[in-house]
Amino acid sequence: MAYDGERYYRQHAKPVADMKDTMGAGDSFLTSFLMCYLDSAKRGDDGPETIERALDFAARFASTVCGMEGSWGHGAPISE
């Protein structure tokens, strides 16, 4: 969910081809949304379509992160 002060936006999750780990997916979503949105806003494109496009980009990026082990490309052993 996103809110621009006037309107709420809803973005559904994207499918994950090979789920491994969700660590880092939320951070990746937020960061990629902001980078995509701010890049467009710097060029004067900051309307509702820009928010929707940035949310879609962020959801796709976060889904790829879920296919990585440990969000760094490798897991870490956990001693019990």
Side-chain angles (χ1 to χ4, degrees), residues 53-65:
R53 187 172 51 249
L55 286 169
D56 183 69
F57 177 81
R60 284 186 283 120
F61 187 77
S63 75
T64 63
V65 170

Side-chain angles (χ1 to χ4, degrees), residues 9 24 48:
Y9 300 83

Side-chain angles (χ1 to χ4, degrees), residues 1-58:
M1 298 281 300
Y3 181 64
D4 67 1
E6 295 178 14
R7 176 180 165 193
Y8 285 94
Y9 300 83
R10 181 177 174 181
Q11 175 62 52
H12 292 282
K14 299 293 183 180
V16 178
D18 186 23
M19 176 65 79
K20 293 205 174 25
D21 194 342
T22 61
M23 182 176 283
D27 296 335
S28 297
F29 180 90
L30 181 57
T31 302
S32 59
F33 168 79
L34 289 172
M35 295 302 295
C36 184
Y37 178 78
L38 292 174
D39 183 58
S40 294
K42 283 191 297 186
R43 292 181 271 120
D45 183 14
D46 62 353
E49 298 83 20
T50 303
I51 294 171
E52 291 169 348
R53 187 172 51 249
L55 286 169
D56 183 69
F57 177 81

